[in-house]
């Protein structure tokens, strides 16, 4: 007997499913799919979240790369800021040329005004060419302890100067302004009797060779004074190198001693009668101009000294240097005024010329120790500089050395004093500046005698400043005497009729006078008559 089994029909089974069963099945399927998706997501993400050795290495690598990138970016930003700071300071120092011109013209006589202007302008142009061609190479490139011999015409230089982070071309313009200052100082003591062609010759010697080569001793990367006291170098047992933060010796003493050599080689101006012979220093023809020039120089010194940090990151150091610069100038001006009041030829009077030269002497003196002394120390050493310049002027007058503007006492003598003062007034709190801030750690601290230090710093400063002063004077004097042997018009000293003739040096060398009308050409006759006669044609 056959048993008939029912035939399975899928379509009919699906038709028999109720609406509720369809909804229930769809819910179960959806839940399973969601669960599967979560499992897949976990498979791909959880291993990356677990602290496995492999992923720890990758994470460390990524963090290090990020830190390096951030540090490089920060360093680049700071280097850019430091470069801008250095350039702004360079522009301030360059602007001092306007101050030098006004100061020298104001203290000179009318008949040499154009000559002073032309010398200063020409020296600035000549200095730029020579410092580009060879001066910077001699002074700041590597070589030996006495001269650098790379980077002529700025060829083959690195992108930045040593570890400063400042581009070499920016460092060059800053140092060019310093070199120009030194060259201008020299002309001040030689005003009124130097032929213009002779000025060209000695300026080539000063700017192209004497200043940069001797400057290399103290500021060159391997200069013998800079590395003095270190192992294998000069005076190793001293344990101290020569320090000159912004140039009391390197700029000002070099300029002052070169001007002394020039003044001696030239002799005094014709008709100059010294105090011991019953005369005295001829009065400057324009004291307002001289005073304004002095203030312009003071303003430019805020580039000279604070700018020598080459770093805007050393904010405390910059502020301290600027403050010390200000107070030293104030101290110098005050004491020079008092010295002239008490002991000067105008005793009992307040002398403008000595006061101006006094604050300039204070500025020169603080230029070396400005980073390492306190505001009180700056005021005191600036005050001493005021007395130094007064005594220096009197000494030159006694020795019958004609220095029309006081270049030798202000720059030469005050520069030596300021350099030595570091060994007395350094507080022992400050070390060295740097591109990313100050380094005041123990090995770099500078401490003078007045603050518990020993004689080593004072000895190092004395070795440096007196060696440079003597070397500059001897070499420059030989050069000046050789130029004096040349025939006119290249002889250092102008012909007698060029100095004493109508219009003086201005007309003789330049064919022009600064003032078109002399006072004695103006007639005041009849001006104050009650009934002046009027003539008609």
């Amino acid at each position: 007997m056959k048993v008939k089994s029912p035939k399975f029909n899928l379509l009919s089974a699906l038709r028999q499913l109720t609406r509720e069963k369809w909804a229930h099945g769809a819910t179960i399927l959806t839940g399973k799919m969601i669960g599967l998706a979560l499992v897949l997501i976990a498979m791909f993400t959880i291993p990356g979240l677990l602290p496995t050795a492999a992923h720890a290495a990758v994470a460390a690598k990524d963090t290090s790369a990020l830190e390096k990138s951030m540090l490089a970016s920060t360093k680049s930003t700071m280097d850019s800021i430091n470069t801008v700071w250095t350039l702004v300071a360079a522009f301030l120092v360059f602007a001092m040329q306007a101050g030098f011109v006004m100061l020298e013209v104001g203290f000179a006589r009318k008949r040499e005004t154009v000559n002073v202007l032309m010398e200063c302008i020409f020296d600035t142009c000549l200095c730029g060419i020579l410092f580009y061609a060879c001066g910077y190479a001699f002074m700041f490139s590597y070589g030996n302890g006495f001269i650098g011999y790379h980077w002529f015409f700025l060829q083959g230089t690195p992108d930045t100067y040593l570890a400063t982070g400042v581009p070499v071309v920016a460092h060059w313009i800053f140092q060019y302004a310093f070199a120009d200052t030194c060259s201008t100082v020299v002309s001040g003591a030689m005003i009124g009797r130097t032929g213009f062609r002779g000025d060209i010759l000695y300026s080539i010697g000063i700017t192209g060779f004497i200043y940069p080569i001797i400057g290399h001793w103290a500021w060159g990367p391997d200069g013998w004074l800079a590395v003095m006291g270190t192992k294998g170098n000069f005076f190793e047992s001293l344990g101290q190198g020569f320090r000159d933060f912004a140039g009391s010796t390197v700029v000002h003493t070099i300029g002052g001693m070169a001007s002394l050599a020039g003044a001696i080689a030239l002799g005094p101006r014709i008709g100059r009668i010294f105090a011991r012979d019953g005369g005295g220093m001829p009065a400057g023809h324009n004291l307002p101009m001289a005073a304004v020039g002095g203030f312009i120089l003071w303003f430019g010194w805020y580039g000279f000294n604070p700018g020598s940090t080459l770093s805007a990151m050393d904010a405390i150091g910059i502020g301290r240097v600027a403050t010390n610069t200000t107070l030293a100038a104030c101290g110098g001006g005050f004491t020079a005024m008092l010295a002239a009041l008490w002991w000067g030829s105008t005793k009992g009077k307040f002398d403008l010329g000595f006061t101006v030269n006094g604050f300039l002497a204070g500025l020169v003196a603080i230029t070396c120790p400005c980073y390492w002394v306190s505001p009180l120390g700056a005021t005191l050493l600036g005050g001493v500089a005021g007395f130094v310049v007064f005594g220096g002027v009197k000494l030159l007058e006694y020795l019958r050395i004609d220095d029309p503007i006081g270049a030798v006492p202000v720059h030469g003598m005050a520069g030596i004093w300021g350099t030595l003062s570091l060994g007395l007034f350094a507080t022992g709190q400050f070390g060295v500046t740097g591109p990313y801030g100050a380094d005041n750690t123990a090995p770099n601290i500078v401490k003078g005698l007045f603050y518990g230090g020993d004689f080593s710093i004072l000895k190092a400063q004395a070795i440096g400043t007196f060696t440079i002063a003597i070397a500059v004077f001897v070499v420059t004097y030989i050069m000046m005497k050789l130029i004096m042997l040349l025939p006119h018009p290249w002889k250092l000293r102008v012909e007698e009729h060029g100095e004493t003739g109508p219009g003086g040096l201005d007309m003789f060398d330049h064919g022009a006078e600064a003032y078109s009308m002399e006072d004695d050409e103006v007639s005041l006759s009849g001006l104050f008559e009650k009934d002046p006669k009027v003539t008609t044609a």
Side-chain angles (χ1 to χ4, degrees):
M1 175 177 150
K2 287 185 177 180
V3 180
K4 190 175 180 181
S5 58
K7 187 177 179 181
F8 182 76
N9 192 326
L10 179 60
L11 184 60
S12 62
L14 290 174
R15 288 174 178 173
Q16 293 176 0
L17 292 174
T18 63
R19 184 182 182 90
E20 289 77 7
K21 290 182 178 181
W22 273 107
H24 181 67
T27 301
I28 294 173
L29 179 63
T30 301
K32 291 182 179 293
M33 296 301 295
I34 292 174
L36 178 62
L38 292 174
V39 170
L40 292 174
I41 292 171
M43 289 173 62
F44 285 101
T45 58
I46 291 177
L49 298 175
L50 296 176
T52 63
H55 284 85
V58 173
K61 182 177 180 181
D62 292 344
T63 302
S64 177
L66 179 61
E67 288 178 348
K68 289 180 179 178
S69 176
M70 292 177 64
L71 287 173
S73 176
T74 302
K75 181 178 181 296
S76 176
T77 300
M78 288 192 291
D79 287 346
S80 298
I81 294 172
N82 291 341
T83 300
V84 172
W85 166 247
T86 301
L87 288 174
V88 170
F91 303 152
L92 284 173
V93 178
F94 183 82
M96 291 172 71
Q97 291 303 312
F100 276 120
V101 166
M102 296 179 73
L103 182 78
E104 293 186 11
V105 165
F107 281 148
R109 298 172 298 185
K110 284 182 180 181
R111 60 175 50 235
E112 50 220 25
T113 299
V114 175
N115 181 255
V116 170
L117 296 172
M118 189 62 191
E119 282 186 353
C120 291
I121 292 171
F122 177 80
D123 284 352
T124 297
C125 298
L126 178 67
C127 179
I129 300 299
L130 290 176
F131 206 66
Y132 161 69
C134 61
Y136 187 81
F138 287 147
M139 192 165 185
F140 291 103
S141 75
Y142 284 96
N144 54 43
F146 296 92
I147 189 172
Y149 44 76
H150 298 90
W151 306 349
F152 294 100
F153 294 94
L154 295 181
Q155 297 299 304
T157 62
D159 291 336
T160 59
Y161 184 71
L162 303 181
T164 63
V166 175
V168 166
V169 287
H171 187 254
W172 177 87
I173 193 103
F174 183 68
Q175 293 300 335
Y176 154 65
F178 276 51
D180 195 20
T181 296
C182 180
S183 176
T184 305
V185 167
V186 179
S187 67
M190 302 169 65
I191 288 174
R193 68 269 204 208
T194 306
F196 188 72
R197 291 172 179 83
D199 175 80
I200 293 173
L201 295 180
Y202 86 71
S203 294
I204 292 173
I206 296 291
T207 306
F209 300 95
I210 294 174
Y211 169 74
I213 292 175
I214 296 180
H216 177 85
W217 301 356
W219 281 357
D222 49 5
W224 73 271
L225 286 172
V227 300
M228 180 177 67
T230 59
K231 187 175 180 179
N233 292 297
F234 290 97
F235 304 105
E236 181 178 336
S237 62
L238 187 61
Q240 295 287 345
F242 175 68
R243 295 175 174 87
D244 190 358
F245 188 79
S248 287
T249 286
V250 174
V251 177
H252 296 284
T253 298
I254 288 180
M257 297 309 293
S259 66
L260 175 62
I264 294 174
L266 278 169
R269 290 168 287 180
I270 295 175
R272 171 77 156 90
I273 303 174
F274 294 91
R276 62 188 294 189
D277 303 315
M281 177 70 75
H285 86 279
N286 195 329
L287 289 181
M289 184 179 291
V292 173
F295 271 120
I296 292 173
L297 288 172
W298 187 339
F299 179 71
W301 237 282
Y302 293 120
F304 214 102
N305 289 358
S308 291
T309 60
L310 300 179
S311 172
M313 299 298 107
D314 188 1
I316 295 176
I318 291 172
R320 182 173 64 254
V321 170
T323 298
N324 289 342
T325 299
T326 302
L327 291 174
C330 295
F334 189 77
T335 55
M337 179 194 71
L338 291 179
L341 177 69
W342 295 334
W343 308 303
S345 57
T346 56
K347 187 175 181 179
K349 307 294 183 181
F350 298 96
D351 191 285
L352 175 62
F354 271 117
T355 305
V356 171
N357 274 342
F359 74 66
L360 291 176
L363 290 167
V364 169
I366 195 61
T367 299
C368 166
C370 56
Y371 193 81
W372 297 289
V373 301
S374 68
L376 175 60
T379 307
L380 293 175
L381 71 89
V384 173
F387 288 116
V388 168
V389 77
F390 178 82
V393 169
K394 294 301 181 182
L395 177 63
L396 293 184
E397 192 73 11
Y398 179 79
L399 296 174
R400 297 189 178 98
I401 298 174
D402 190 9
D403 179 2
I405 71 164
V408 176
V410 170
H411 298 277
M413 297 179 185
I416 291 173
W417 156 244
T419 304
L420 294 174
S421 72
L422 176 65
L424 303 174
F425 289 96
T427 63
Q429 298 173 281
F430 313 114
V432 295
T433 187
Y436 313 117
D439 181 359
N440 295 325
T441 54
N444 299 311
I445 292 297
V446 183
K447 184 183 290 187
L449 277 174
F450 294 166
Y451 291 84
D454 57 24
F455 280 92
S456 60
I457 294 176
L458 185 59
K459 290 178 182 177
Q461 296 303 100
I463 291 171
T465 193
F466 287 120
T467 299
I468 288 176
I470 294 170
V472 170
F473 178 81
V474 171
V475 174
T476 306
Y477 183 76
I478 293 172
M479 179 186 69
M480 296 291 187
K481 293 299 286 186
L482 289 175
I483 301 175
M484 281 289 289
L485 296 176
L486 296 177
H488 292 299
W490 293 99
K491 188 174 182 177
L492 184 64
R493 179 150 190 161
V494 72
E495 295 98 313
E496 181 177 341
H497 66 274
E499 185 178 345
T500 61
L505 273 176
D506 288 356
M507 288 300 298
F508 182 79
D509 263 340
H510 309 288
E513 292 181 289
Y515 307 96
S516 58
M517 182 179 294
E518 297 290 346
D519 292 340
D520 56 8
E521 293 177 358
V522 180
S523 175
L524 300 180
S525 61
L527 184 62
F528 301 105
E529 295 179 7
K530 293 182 178 180
D531 298 312
K533 296 179 181 180
V534 179
T535 58
T536 58

